[in-house]
């Protein structure tokens, strides 16, 4: 079993919220190129870098696993994502609940999804919206 990598949309949002993958370089680190390709071609970035041109638009974006990003949200920002099965539904519908631990309010987001990974992905995107820089 392999862990799911977040989507390009989630990775971009995480980067905007200053998520930085602290995985040691000895281990494989996944990334998206500026076009959204997973571990994609960075030729244009290298060409611009070598030519001493601006490379901002070619920068890569860390592509963490869902669990790593979830842990960062919980430990750094105290935002909790809860995924629970709907036992009354025979199609195994999963429900996502997102709430910040710093305010004991009602959940801010609830959604129903077919797979656990889809539920977690949507929860990650909603949780990242709580972070204000």
């Amino acid at each position: 079993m392999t862990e799911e990598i977040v989507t390009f949309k989630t990775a971009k949002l995480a980067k905007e919220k200053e998520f930085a993958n602290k995985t040691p370089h000895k281990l494989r680190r996944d990334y998206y190129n500026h076009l959204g390709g997973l571990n994609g071609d960075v030729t244009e970035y290298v060409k611009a870098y070598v030519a001493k041109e601006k490379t901002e638009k070619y920068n890569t974006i860390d592509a963490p696993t869902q669990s790593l990003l979830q842990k960062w949200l919980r430990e750094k920002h105290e935002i909790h994502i809860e995924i629970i099965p709907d036992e009354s539904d025979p199609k195994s519908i999963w429900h996502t609940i997102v709430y910040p631990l710093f305010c004991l309010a009602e959940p801010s987001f609830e959604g129903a999804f077919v797979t656990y990974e889809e539920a977690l992905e949507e929860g990650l995107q909603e949780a990242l919206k709580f972070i204000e820089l």
Side-chain angles (χ1 to χ4, degrees):
M1 178 168 73
T2 60
E3 290 197 62
E4 288 291 314
I5 294 173
V6 299
T7 63
F8 180 58
K9 179 180 177 181
T10 305
K12 278 179 63 174
L13 187 55
K15 183 176 182 175
E16 290 170 11
K17 302 301 182 174
E18 299 182 349
F19 170 80
N21 190 350
K22 303 295 184 190
T23 304
H25 289 287
K26 293 177 185 174
L27 300 176
R28 183 168 182 254
R29 289 175 62 173
D30 291 299
Y31 64 89
Y32 287 103
N33 66 10
H34 67 287
L35 299 174
L38 183 61
N39 299 322
D41 184 12
V42 292
T43 305
E44 297 302 318
Y45 171 81
V46 172
K47 285 179 183 176
Y49 181 80
V50 169
K52 298 187 185 324
E53 297 172 0
K54 291 185 179 181
T55 59
E56 292 86 24
K57 71 177 183 176
Y58 302 116
N59 282 344
T60 59
I61 299 170
D62 281 331
T65 61
Q66 289 178 331
S67 60
L68 181 64
L69 187 55
Q70 182 180 19
K71 180 180 178 182
W72 178 77
L73 285 163
R74 184 178 59 250
E75 291 179 357
K76 183 165 173 78
H77 296 284
E78 297 182 331
I79 299 173
H80 183 70
I81 302 168
E82 186 175 349
I83 312 295
I84 54 173
D86 184 345
E87 296 176 8
S88 66
D89 192 321
K91 295 180 182 177
S92 299
I93 299 298
W94 294 87
H95 294 275
T96 302
I97 303 171
V98 176
Y99 55 93
L101 296 176
F102 49 82
C103 70
L104 299 174
E106 290 294 313
S108 66
F109 171 80
E110 294 186 51
F113 303 90
V114 176
T115 68
Y116 182 92
E117 291 76 17
E118 290 173 346
L120 181 53
E121 187 74 27
E122 189 66 31
L124 291 168
Q125 290 177 13
E126 290 298 319
L128 285 164
K129 293 176 185 176
F130 275 108
I131 301 171
E132 294 183 23
L133 300 176

